[in-house]
Amino acid sequence: MRAYASVLPHFVAEHFGDALWAAMIYFGVRALLVRMSVLQAFLISLGFCYAIECSQLYQADWVNRIRSTLLGGLILGRGFLYVDLVRYCEGAIGAYLIDRSLVQRIA
C-alpha cells in the first residue's frame, strides 16, 4: 500500500510509482557507468526493469519470503503485471529525454 496514495490524484497514485522506479534505475545506471551513452543506459535500465518484472513470474517459496519484506518487495516487486512494462517504458523514456537534453546543453 502506498503511504500517500490518498492525497494524490488516482491516476498519479496508480501509475507513477513504476515510472519513477524505472527513471531511478536509469539515473542509477548513468551514475555508475558515466562513460556510457544515454542510449546504452536507456537500454540497460529498461532491460533491468523488464528482467525484474519477468522474475515475478517465478513464485518459489524462498523468493516469495524475500518479496514479503519491505526491501525485497521494493526491489523485486510482488506480482507480474503487463501494464508495469508500459509504465517502465514511460519512466525510462522520460528519464532518457531529460538526460539527453541536459547532455546536449552541456556539449
Side-chain angles (χ1 to χ4, degrees):
M1 174 121 160
R2 292 180 170 97
Y4 299 102
S6 62
V7 297
L8 295 171
H10 177 71
F11 184 83
V12 171
E14 186 71 22
H15 300 287
F16 278 35
D18 291 317
L20 286 173
W21 188 79
M24 177 193 70
I25 297 300
Y26 173 84
F27 286 117
V29 169
R30 288 287 286 152
L32 291 174
L33 305 169
V34 294
R35 296 190 193 281
M36 183 175 288
S37 74
V38 292
L39 181 59
Q40 289 173 315
F42 168 76
L43 294 173
I44 287 173
S45 61
L46 194 57
F48 178 83
C49 292
Y50 274 36
I52 292 293
E53 189 66 24
C54 290
S55 77
Q56 294 171 26
L57 294 169
Y58 181 67
Q59 294 293 316
D61 288 338
W62 69 271
V63 76
N64 285 336
R65 283 193 299 276
I66 295 171
R67 288 182 181 126
S68 70
T69 66
L70 177 63
L71 187 58
L74 289 172
I75 295 170
L76 298 176
R78 290 192 169 80
F80 178 85
L81 295 171
Y82 285 109
V83 70
D84 285 351
L85 301 175
V86 175
R87 294 170 183 157
Y88 296 150
C89 282
E90 292 169 349
I93 288 169
Y96 166 79
L97 292 174
I98 290 168
D99 191 23
R100 194 178 72 173
S101 70
L102 292 174
V103 167
Q104 288 175 348
R105 283 189 191 158
I106 293 171

